[in-house]
Amino acid sequence: MSTLVYTADELLRDHPDLAPHDVGGRRMHGGFLPDGSYQPPRALVRVPALAAWAAALTERGGRPLDADSSLLGGVRLPTVPQSRVLLRHGLGESFWNSLTIIGKIEARGRLLAEIPFPPLQPHIVDDISQMAIGHLGNGLLQAHGWDEGGVADPALGAAGGAGAHDQMWFAARDLAFGEGAYPDVDPPENIARPEVGRRWMPEVAAEVEGLLSLLMNLLVIEFRAELGFADTQAILRTPDLFPGRRPQAEEAAEIVGRIRADEEIHVSSLQLYLGECAAVTFRTNDGGTIAGRELIERFWNGLVQWATVDQPAIAAEVQRQLLHARVMRHPDGAEIWREFEAAG
Ligand SMILES: [Fe+2]
Ligand SMILES: [Fe+2]
């Protein structure tokens, strides 16, 4: 049997012989194997370790939490054809903004590597030392956070300090548009769930609910982010867009593809953590126990309704008003807006 216990140092280890991942003179994380294929950062031990934990979970009769296309529902605005209409009319700011905002949201993901998480073992009856959830604070969430927003401490090594997803999005944006093509922009306020602050798992310690709900929220966000990433690549690869910058736009699409490769590890690892949590027994505040599955399912079902139906509708309406105002400032605004609507 392969080992199921790892040190943080092992889980954070990069492949030793990667060719550097440079974009526009900036060093990015990960690198290239001799065959030219992209290798995500900190994947040398982490990826096989995740596979070994997943196999062990399956052997115990559990399985990683389901995340399938049903999680991808909800209206989206602008669609890829709508984005193309805007870009063809020289209205590039919306797409520029979306790339800047994704990058800044990715940067916030570094928090995963920085905030201390409660060890789960005291709250769980089963021995979790040979599970992924026994390693969350011991390399796994650190790797995840660094993938998103980079390593805060450059003393951790040259590869460690390299550009992460935030920098990769900014680099992709600058390749497609040219640096400084539009002003900087900050992410909009989060659209909070109406139930925010409500306790969904009052039987267990607040810090346990905090961690479980964070992992579930992250899984939904990461899984749905795939939609936006695929759309972004389709827009960048549209032959008549970014005229005069086609090779740069194609390279930008490649960079987004590398981000997607990194994110696959995040999605599968979150499915694994939650599958493990569902398969163990938690200790309750009153000295009893409760099946992890019950805690997970209770929260998950409400979250999915919010994330795939309610939230997208609100977000699309906000976008619609913003885009309408922007389009109408164009001399041919009314005509472009009709074209935009027809493309939807
Ligand atoms: Fe990311
Ligand atoms: Fe991610």
Side-chain angles (χ1 to χ4, degrees), residues 106 147-148 165 169 222 229 259 263 266:
E106 294 261 23
D147 291 354
E148 309 289 20
H165 289 172
W169 282 108
E222 300 249 10
F229 293 5
I259 296 173
E263 302 292 12
H266 297 173

Side-chain angles (χ1 to χ4, degrees), residues 207-228:
E207 58 187 18
V208 172
E209 172 166 347
L211 180 55
L212 292 179
S213 60
L214 173 82
L215 294 176
M216 283 186 265
N217 271 295
L218 262 179
L219 175 55
V220 170
I221 291 168
E222 300 249 10
F223 198 80
R224 290 178 60 81
E226 259 299 292
L227 287 170

